[in-house]
Amino acid sequence: MKIKNKFFAILLFSTLGYSCNYLDVVPDNVATIDHAFSDRYTAETFLSNCYWYLPSSANPNSNPAYMGSGEFMHHQARWQTSMLIARGSQTAATHLNNMWGGGNGGKKLWDGINNCNVFLENIHKVKDLTPAEMRRWIAEVRFLKAFYHFYLLRYYGPIHILDASSDISQGTDIIRQERIPVDETFEYIVGLLDEIIAEESLPDIINNTREEMGRITQPIAMAIRAKILVTWASPLFNGNTDYANFKDSQGRNFFSQQVNPDLWSRAAEACKAAIDECHLAGHALFTANDLTTNYILSNDGKIQMAYRSGITERWNHEVIWGNSQSLIDGTTQGNMIPHLEQVDEEHSRGWYSPTINVAELYYTENGVPINEDKTGIFDYADRYKIKKNTIGWKTYNINNQEETASLNYFRENRFYASLGFDRGRWYNYIGHNNWEKSDGNAPTIQARYNEYSSMYNPDNYSTTGYFVKKMFSVNSGFSEKHRFSAEAYPFPEMRMSDLYLLYAEALNESQVAPNQEVFRWIDMVRSRAGLRGVVESWRDYSTNANKPHTKQGMREIIQRERNIELALESENFWDARRWKTAIREYNTALKGWNVLRNNIQEYYEVQVLFNQKFSHKDYFAPIPENEIIKNPKLVQNPGW
Amino acid sequence: MKKNLSCWLAICLTLLCLMSVTSEVFAQNEIRVQGTVTNNKGEPLKGVTLIIQKLHGGAVTDINGKFVIDKVNPTALLEVSFLGMVTKIVEIDNQTNLNIVLEEKMDELEDVTVVAFSTQKKESVIGAITTVKPSELRVPASNLTTALAGRVAGMISYQQSGEPGQDNASFFIRGITSFGAESKKDPLILIDNVELSTADLARLNVDDIASFSIMKDATATALYGARGANGVILVMTKEGVEGKSKMNLRIENSWSSPTKNIELSDPVTYMRLGNEAVATRDPLSELPYSVERIAMTERGLYPDLYPQTDWQSMLLDPVTQNQRVNTSLSGGGKVARYFVAGSLTRDNGNLKVDQRNNFNSNIKLDKYTLRSNVNINLTKTTEAILRMSGSFDDYKGPLFGGADVYHKVLQTNPVYFKPYYEPDADHTSTRHILFGNYGKGEYLNPYAELLKGYKDYSKTMMAAQIELKQDLNSVVDGLSARLLFNTNRFSEFDVVRQYNPFFYSISDKNFDRITEDYKLLKLNPQGGSEWIDYKSDYRYITKTTYLETALNFNKRIYEKNNVSGLLVYTMREYLATNNDNDLQKSLPSRNMGLSGRFTYNYDSRYFVETNFGYNGSERFSSKHRFGFFPSFGLAWLVSNERFFEGAKNIISTLKLRGTYGLVGNEQIGSADDRFYYLSRVNMNDGGRAARFGKDLSYVVNGVTTLRYANPNIGWEIAYKSNAAVELSLNNGLTMIADFFKEKRKNILLSRVMPGAVGIEPEVRANLGEAQSQGFDVELNYQHYVNKDWWITGRGTFTFARSLVNKWEEPDYSNTPWRSRVRQPIAQVWGYVAERLFIDDYEVKNSPVQFGEYMAGDIKYRDINNDGKISDLDIVPIGHPTTPEINYGFGVSTGYKKWDFSIFFQGSARQSFWVDLSRVAPFVNITDGATGSNALLSHIADNYWAEDNRNVYAFWPRLSNTFVDNNMRTSTWYMNDASFIRLKSAEIGYSFPSEILKRVKMENLRIYASGMNLAVFSPFKMWDPEMAGNGLGYPVQRVINLGVNVNF
């Protein structure tokens, strides 16, 4: 009996024996954030994370600037988020392309910044990175952090600085941050970039091209710093008295009320430094001389192909920063090109529709605005009338005996390189039926209703009668009748002509009157497009010959040059805002041809497709309403 | 852990100190004793053993129950024992002739209440524990949970589906006091002391239950520390009783049909209103139904070309039959006792079966259970109990379940096509069913959906348990120990087989209007298949092991002082497969804890009890891993006081009791989020890849942080207080009324993180606080009118209201009506609908609402007067979505061999919202096919029309697409879910024992019963208990015939 009791007692107590570690069920090596920094391989995945937040510039549903400027139209069935912004559908309650809290096509950039902070705070734990490599990665991530701040600043106006990783157990008071004056944020961003650039940890040129093309380089950092400084110096941010009553809780103005001219000089210096660095690294404009094709091209054709190549050829030397996180891929290019012959094929959809407004932007053959050309080659008053190419004018642009609007004749090469239109040619290095052999053989678009380039599916047609040729890669096309082959390329965030024009602008603004140095940089861009310099062109062809010689006149010329050179590249959206010209430019009727008509007379009737609306509030996106509810310290932007 | 052990040892030592041993020695002359042993009916008992205690010798009775013992000490004690009888100690006390009467052993649980890890005398229980007689829970259904509503004081329960296998009721003890999104809110369910799931409780057979208790307050649940915060349901199964073997057999057959059918309008009205829905929104658009089609359909001409399909009667049977058989065998001898039970139930769904398919796609759920409880006396002081049970569900049914069939029936166009066509000349030898369809075959045909395949699933639950009980009186008087080891294995899998139906249609061109011959057009020649394919997708296997050791002490000291103590140590591990390859989910869940109880009462008048639970859970960081949950209670049995003597002839018992204490809840997040103290990352996330390289082909995946580490997350803690009155009157009425208040702190909730913080995943913290309060009352009445007629009555009433006390929420200072604080936990926020817009002029001159809307659409109130209806205008509307009141009452009566009982059950203070996406007529909500919601008669009879501008019509202006404006949660579609129903009624007849004796039966009763026989409610469209789930598989009304035999 006693023995049994003892046995029982032992049994009882033995259960307690092995309980010490009973609750430690988690084995070692469960993946936690620390593991992301255990070696070079995993740290690279975290580096990916930091890059992942780069804007999806090539996606019209994610990039507000893509169609938000009104350069494109599209028919109603294609509701692209950025198009909705152009149409005035932005609201604080349903924030389109929400980069603040994420959603409606927007990536949540604050998360991107916090990821960068986590990276920067942990990367030193990685043991198998060489010091040089570690310095380079740190510089890249700091660049990204600065860039994300800049993107938010440019989009929303005042923000705050998120310089260290957030702690999830912080009290409500700390996590509810106030917005701060824009100058402080600009100073922070530029300071960060100054440090990165000064320490020269970034490569000038990518050596390991197989794995690293697309990573941040010294030229990128310097060119973006230049763009940021130009943005800061621009009227939207520099002494913007429209926001005199827009203040933080301490009564400080979010926007400076005094124009600071030094910002322009600082911008000009940064542009020059960037240009020099880019040249050293081998970046230059892509000119006709850089073409390597054996096909037979007219001189104009060469200029057009060089211009297109500088944008669309993968990793060409003109592109300073190709955003490899966002590609202009086959699908996107299929949305640009229409059918070029009678064929039952659904890859070429051609519904990105540039407006007549953009078509009218380009210069005449003489390199001056269509309403200023005094030579008479371009009949401004009758520009919407139909004209037949009876004289054999540049048949590589419009074939002999074809009829199209007068607007489409006698235009500069960038017009033909950028836009496709009814009875215009579409040349690419890829083609069949000997299309590719010479630009004189290039197929003709036939876009009147029921013709092969018109509506294929109910959703697939250009609603304006224009097509985007510019962003369509020179190396894409129809290799056979039914085979559409496209070369994807990284979205060009920054290219040389952009930088030159920024420099010209900064110089012009920082001086009393334009000088040769201003003309030099804009003329380089014009010259690549086959145009003469500003001074000569205006002198010889314009009704306003003296325009280049005043600061104001030159400002307008530079702005128009930018609008043309960078058209359809998501630049106009930001430029029109920083120049504060949007209120003028964006309250206009967006126009197109009457594309649902077959009869030529009816087809070439101008249709108002939409009356674009822009009010003062639209200079900045609204802070999402739910963010203000979550953080009542956030002051909403005026007007929203 | 050392703390644990030392605590354990300290208590042991204390108990040893209390040890007292007494022994007495006697020595006298010897006498001769004789006598008879009978039972309480005076019948002599043969074979009774009589043993002289502490000495040798004894005797056994003969056939007449007589015995003789020679040479026995005249003061000796005789131990008289017999199988199935209570052993009796008889003092000889110099008597030479003894007539000894033995009492039959009664069920031990009659006088005691099952409490946590032990039992206590009923009078000494201080905690709020409701015990329910198992027979109260018998309803004609194979699901125990459906019987709980209204029968258990303190429980809020409701059932929203009647589908076999999916018909578990939801139940909460004293309402829901936690609002953590994924935290456990329902009670801990213990069957034979082992934690099990609702499904296991649902499968329990009432005939196997010995006791059913619900523990509600801190004192009752504190010992379950970590897991008891939401209350505990403790069920003990029957054990064998010493005696001859007894068999119980029950057979039932029931007829089951929906309590209420959804009423639909006729096809012609459907088409007319379908046209109106299109035209009223856009007069220029094309109408879906031609004048000819409507006219032809109305006249009933050419039914093959202009079909009218009543999908409800096509797919649903009005009545189905279910069977249940269960049997048990129990008995045993001195050494071992056994209780073995088995049951078999078959539940059929009410879906129709097409004879041309060789498989049955109706629901057929067979459940088998087997249970064996064996008690063995290993020694005089050691008892072992072996409990084995298995339950097995075999299901065969439609691919996506019964509710899906009900949904599809109400999403299908009634006039476009027939369910199937009879073969035409071309298809006389076709081997498949010629299902009907329209267009390119993209329309929803629920008949094809039902017949195209079927699913099998199987669930198996096996439990094995051994319990050792050791009487340690020899060490310390009143001490006993217990050890229990249990393991459960559960497995589940399903298998799916299906073919792709071929669809056919008839067009006007291929139809001969004279002969009514037609030629079928095959719509999807490539899409269909005649053969069946197999698909297996789901497997779920779990194991649980549980160990419990306890030391029990119980002693009366100096007559009036009763003390008892209990120490329990438990360990539990649960391990499960997961179907999403998640490491953290694959780790075992573990609990361990040391709990204790100390009770003292003085003279059965003053009672004190204190409990504690010291529990650990693997979920928390080492800092928060263990929680200490003490509780304390007092009771005063007033009726045992001397001054109460005078009132005793009216009031037999009056007891006042009160408790306060803490209980924890560890199950506060989802299974994915068990380890809050660890970060959780996806180290290889293709969705976060970055792309680089000359060829754009160097892709490096990114890292996603799914959760940041938060080592501060810990237990959710309930602070419970309870006060109660127990009253029994001599006229047979008893009442127990409990009043409770609970504060719940540390509720896990998501923090409000502004976007600018840059934290991607949701952040959780123990920031929420809630409270609940209410009362539950139980009334019982028992009265014997005369020896042939008895009446009992029973009623329960539960009121529980929960409020949010603290919530991290955005700043609502400008719109205070949006704050959740001081609002019920299950509160709904929505717009206040004023009425429908009168005309377009009013639309233009009212605050801006949502999307496109016009006259006849809902007009909302602009709460903050900002000229637009937005999120800022939503206010708390209606009652909570779970009822705040549950009640039930019923009477049973018997006259001679007849018995009759009736029970009503009700619920109140609950609102629900019609599921607009399913109710909105003509709209397509079908996934992957074109459907069209049915037109409910209720809508067809009462909607806003241009020629009948009723601004208070039930349904606004018709539309064939969702009108965003009308789809908002608002008071317009808010309904009162309160109801009272005739939950059950039963009439039975027991055959007289004289007749039964001849066939060697002890008892034979036949009975007819019914469940959910009638319901009374302000809501008429469907059974109100289904609330927002109204168009699902309906709750069933059951008529049942049964027979119960005992051998």
Side-chain angles (χ1 to χ4, degrees), chain B residues 781-792 893-895:
Chain B
Y781 178 70
Q782 201 159 28
H783 183 63
Y784 293 90
V785 181
N786 56 44
K787 81 174 177 49
D788 288 334
W789 187 18
W790 54 268
I791 300 177
T792 64
T893 182
Y895 184 75

Side-chain angles (χ1 to χ4, degrees), chain B residues 246-486:
Chain B
K246 288 180 180 170
M247 190 179 164
N248 179 44
L249 175 67
R250 182 186 299 278
I251 301 171
E252 293 184 337
N253 187 70
S254 37
W255 289 264
S256 178
S257 56
T259 52
K260 205 164 166 62
N261 286 308
I262 305 289
E263 285 171 41
L264 303 182
S265 71
D266 61 279
V268 174
T269 310
Y270 179 91
M271 286 191 279
R272 290 222 169 96
L273 267 55
N275 279 349
E276 183 179 336
V278 173
T280 192
R281 294 280 164 186
D282 180 4
L284 299 176
S285 54
E286 197 184 335
L287 297 180
Y289 309 103
S290 65
V291 177
E292 189 200 2
R293 180 182 279 277
I294 297 175
M296 291 297 190
T297 310
E298 194 163 15
R299 290 162 62 195
L301 290 175
Y302 312 124
D304 286 323
L305 188 59
Y306 300 112
Q308 312 186 41
T309 310
D310 179 351
W311 291 104
Q312 280 178 313
S313 61
M314 191 68 215
L315 276 92
L316 308 174
D317 262 330
V319 181
T320 184
Q321 287 195 46
N322 303 320
Q323 292 82 33
R324 288 177 290 280
V325 178
N326 63 63
T327 179
S328 68
L329 195 66
S330 72
K334 285 241 167 276
V335 175
R337 295 167 299 286
Y338 59 91
F339 174 84
V340 181
S343 72
L344 164 60
T345 68
R346 167 166 294 180
D347 288 317
N348 293 304
N350 43 13
L351 310 176
K352 272 198 180 155
V353 180
D354 192 298
Q355 296 307 325
R356 287 167 299 175
N357 253 358
N358 62 359
F359 55 83
N360 180 350
S361 40
N362 187 14
I363 297 170
K364 193 181 86 182
L365 177 60
D366 289 340
K367 296 185 195 176
Y368 320 89
T369 65
L370 200 62
R371 180 180 302 281
S372 137
N373 293 345
V374 178
N375 300 41
I376 305 165
N377 293 343
L378 297 177
T379 72
K380 269 204 167 158
T381 57
T382 313
E383 184 183 7
I385 308 167
L386 287 165
R387 298 188 180 94
M388 311 281 273
S389 67
S391 67
F392 314 93
D393 294 3
D394 286 343
Y395 170 96
K396 207 175 270 257
L399 290 171
F400 306 105
D404 180 69
V405 175
Y406 268 84
H407 285 152
K408 283 184 172 141
V409 161
L410 296 172
Q411 288 168 19
T412 307
N413 190 307
V415 294
Y416 275 160
F417 48 86
K418 291 178 76 171
Y420 63 91
Y421 292 101
E422 293 304 329
D424 60 351
D426 294 352
H427 293 93
T428 45
S429 59
T430 306
R431 295 199 302 170
H432 54 257
I433 304 175
L434 309 168
F435 292 112
N437 212 308
Y438 196 72
K440 289 176 180 168
E442 74 274 25
Y443 282 75
L444 177 69
N445 179 344
Y447 192 69
E449 291 294 313
L450 177 60
L451 292 191
K452 76 179 182 187
Y454 65 106
K455 177 164 105 173
D456 278 1
Y457 77 63
S458 155
K459 294 182 183 177
T460 307
M461 172 79 186
M462 294 287 295
Q465 188 181 105
I466 180 162
E467 186 174 353
L468 291 171
K469 289 181 177 170
Q470 176 66 49
D471 188 337
L472 296 173
N473 272 323
S474 56
V475 182
V476 178
D477 195 22
L479 189 69
S480 62
R482 215 158 54 78
L483 184 144
L484 183 148
F485 177 79
N486 183 88

Side-chain angles (χ1 to χ4, degrees), chain B residues 36-38 45 47-53 59-61 65 67 69 77-83 85-92 98-103 105 242 334:
Chain B
T36 332
V37 182
T38 58
L45 295 170
V48 178
T49 49
L50 300 103
I51 298 166
I52 307 160
Q53 277 204 337
V60 177
T61 56
F67 67 90
I69 308 172
L77 299 172
L78 274 183
E79 186 184 305
V80 188
S81 60
F82 186 63
L83 204 66
M85 298 287 176
V86 179
T87 301
K88 206 169 185 179
I89 310 288
V90 181
E91 261 183 81
I92 297 178
L98 288 170
N99 282 322
I100 302 166
V101 180
L102 287 181
E103 299 284 330
K105 267 191 185 169
E242 204 176 296
K334 285 241 167 276

Side-chain angles (χ1 to χ4, degrees), chain B residues 172 317 355 409 523 525 576 591 675 763 846 863-864 982 1002 1023:
Chain B
F172 306 98
D317 262 330
Q355 296 307 325
V409 161
L523 299 175
N591 282 103
F675 303 104
V763 173
S846 300
I863 301 288
N864 66 347
L982 176 51
E1002 202 162 289
D1023 191 307

Side-chain angles (χ1 to χ4, degrees), chain B residues 13 52 158 435 474 509 966 990 1003:
Chain B
L13 285 172
I52 307 160
Y158 50 89
F435 292 112
S474 56
K509 278 180 246 164
N966 299 343
S990 304
N1003 184 25

